[in-house]
Amino acid sequence: MTASNVLDWIVALLVCWASLTAILEPSRGASQCDAPIVMSSAAQSPPAIPTQAEFEEMIRDMKLHD
């Protein structure tokens, strides 16, 4: 086994260990960030649908950047 293979295995094991501890460990600062989410009572408007001219402008801009 070469040194690079050993290093690759060590790094892989450390990444797995860090991932598992992050998943399994209860969040430490959760009580500080648990602010209630306030939803706006105002109705939100749907996103604007681009016009044909805006579509053509976007396509022209994409062609210019290629």
Side-chain angles (χ1 to χ4, degrees):
M1 202 180 235
T2 64
S4 64
N5 285 343
V6 172
L7 184 61
D8 289 343
W9 275 101
I10 292 171
V11 170
L13 289 174
L14 287 173
V15 169
C16 289
W17 174 77
S19 299
L20 288 175
T21 54
I23 291 169
L24 299 176
E25 183 178 280
S27 57
R28 294 182 181 165
S31 61
Q32 298 170 356
C33 297
D34 284 343
I37 299 172
V38 178
M39 297 298 287
S40 173
S41 60
Q44 295 181 358
S45 62
I49 299 172
T51 63
Q52 183 66 29
E54 291 172 330
F55 272 127
E56 290 171 0
E57 182 182 355
M58 285 187 277
I59 291 171
R60 187 177 64 247
D61 288 344
M62 286 183 219
K63 288 180 180 178
L64 288 175
H65 290 293
D66 284 344

